[in-house]
Amino acid sequence: MEARLASLHKDAKEVEKETLKYFQRLKKRTPKTLDLTMRDLHDAEFEKTDCLTCANCCKTSSPIFTEKDIQRISKYFRIKEFKFIEQFLERDSDDFYVLQQVPCHFLDENDNTCMIYDVRPKACSEYPHTNRKKFIQITDLTVKNAEICPATFNIIENLKKAIPLGGKATPESKFK
């Protein structure tokens, strides 16, 4: 996995222009089956991907913490919300709460497990967002996530095969 992570950023940058063009064209003619296709690609990828062997998202980026996330996690730690914010969070340039530092304070780097897994932020539980409804609305985020998450990179590349720019998927290209 370390070798894959070492090349991921470079690989994602090499296809970024192509991917952005692909998503622009996809937005112009979004197939009704896009969300279903994305869910299938997501599920197929995560049948063979174990996030515990990677955890690159936790090591290199911060999720956004919503008010509900802060309430839930503070309650879990039995501390006041303002103390949780003071100790772990800061406001980013978009005025969202994010971690003060990465890797994530709650990541156990010995085994890549999350110490707050059962109460983790919604952004973490939904990451990498490739199986969500209205996927077409988050293509820019998905391009960024492809630099962080090898599974996201693979899902995008498989999407290009499943729904070629010309239109219909070919049976032999689906979910390779």
Side-chain angles (χ1 to χ4, degrees):
M1 180 54 76
E2 289 177 29
R4 178 66 185 120
L5 290 176
S7 68
L8 181 62
H9 182 78
K10 180 178 144 289
D11 294 346
K13 283 295 183 187
E14 282 178 5
V15 298
E16 182 175 21
K17 276 187 179 181
E18 170 197 315
T19 301
L20 289 169
K21 281 183 182 180
Y22 175 82
F23 283 143
Q24 281 179 334
R25 291 193 65 195
L26 197 62
K27 283 180 183 181
K28 288 179 183 174
R29 292 183 21 181
T30 305
K32 290 180 181 177
T33 60
L34 178 61
D35 289 344
L36 179 60
T37 301
M38 286 303 298
R39 189 189 70 213
D40 291 346
L41 290 169
H42 174 96
D43 292 348
E45 183 63 32
F46 281 99
E47 281 181 21
K48 59 187 176 187
T49 299
D50 178 7
C51 292
L52 293 177
T53 64
C54 179
N56 199 42
C57 52
C58 305
K59 294 174 184 174
T60 63
S61 60
S62 173
I64 291 171
F65 285 73
T66 66
E67 292 297 327
K68 285 185 179 183
D69 294 331
I70 293 167
Q71 292 167 1
R72 186 176 57 256
I73 299 167
S74 298
K75 185 177 178 181
Y76 175 80
F77 283 125
R78 296 187 174 126
I79 61 173
K80 300 278 186 195
E81 291 172 30
F82 80 90
K83 280 289 188 193
F84 176 78
I85 292 168
E86 188 177 87
Q87 189 171 354
F88 300 107
L89 305 178
E90 65 185 13
R91 294 275 191 178
D92 69 3
S93 60
D94 295 321
D95 206 29
F96 290 117
Y97 279 114
V98 295
L99 293 168
Q100 291 174 1
Q101 63 188 35
V102 291
C104 179
H105 180 78
F106 308 111
L107 173 68
D108 183 338
E109 292 189 69
N110 294 317
D111 60 3
N112 290 337
T113 57
C114 176
M115 293 182 259
I116 60 167
Y117 187 81
D118 291 336
V119 295
R120 69 195 183 279
K122 181 180 179 186
C124 295
S125 65
E126 294 179 354
Y127 193 83
H129 314 289
T130 49
N131 63 343
R132 68 167 261 188
K133 291 180 180 176
K134 299 183 183 175
F135 169 78
I136 200 70
Q137 296 176 350
I138 61 159
T139 56
D140 290 344
L141 174 64
T142 304
V143 171
K144 289 177 185 172
N145 287 345
E147 294 180 34
I148 298 166
C149 175
T152 303
F153 180 87
N154 294 341
I155 291 166
I156 292 171
E157 293 306 302
N158 286 332
L159 176 62
K160 292 174 189 175
K161 294 172 188 169
I163 304 175
L165 290 176
K168 299 174 185 155
T170 57
E172 65 274 4
S173 70
K174 200 165 186 170
F175 310 132
K176 282 188 182 175

